[in-house]
Amino acid sequence: MLILNINYFLKLTIFIFCVGILGLVLNRKNILVAILCIELLLLSINLNFIIFSIYLDDIFGLVYVLFILTIAASESALGLAIL
């Protein structure tokens, strides 16, 4: 059985976050790509909250994930409606 350390997951979230930041910085004209990059940023933060919530055996991280997901869904709906 493969045992994964918390560091692997944290490196994954850092990589996803950096991809989202690079997408925002390098994108100048396409608003749809900017919205997708913001979604990547929010999803990497959500994954980080989930990892620490499981690691610390705490429920508050999962509650924050629900709030962030609702904000991300409304942000994408408004962005696509404006587009």
Side-chain angles (χ1 to χ4, degrees):
M1 184 166 99
L2 182 65
I3 298 173
L4 295 176
N5 198 356
I6 192 170
N7 292 330
Y8 298 124
F9 292 113
L10 293 178
K11 288 176 187 176
L12 176 69
T13 58
I14 290 170
F15 176 72
I16 294 172
F17 192 82
C18 289
V19 168
I21 290 290
L22 279 175
L24 276 177
V25 169
L26 297 178
N27 181 27
R28 295 287 183 192
K29 299 189 181 201
N30 196 353
I31 189 73
L32 194 60
V33 174
I35 290 172
L36 288 174
C37 290
I38 292 172
E39 290 291 327
L40 267 177
L41 292 174
L42 291 173
L43 288 176
S44 69
I45 293 169
N46 280 339
L47 186 58
N48 207 2
F49 275 134
I50 290 171
I51 290 167
F52 280 115
S53 178
I54 291 172
Y55 183 72
L56 298 173
D57 197 24
D58 195 16
I59 195 75
F60 293 117
L62 299 176
V63 173
Y64 285 133
V65 167
L66 287 176
F67 288 137
I68 292 173
L69 281 177
T70 56
I71 291 169
S74 65
E75 178 258 333
S76 355
L78 284 174
L80 290 175
I82 290 172
L83 184 70

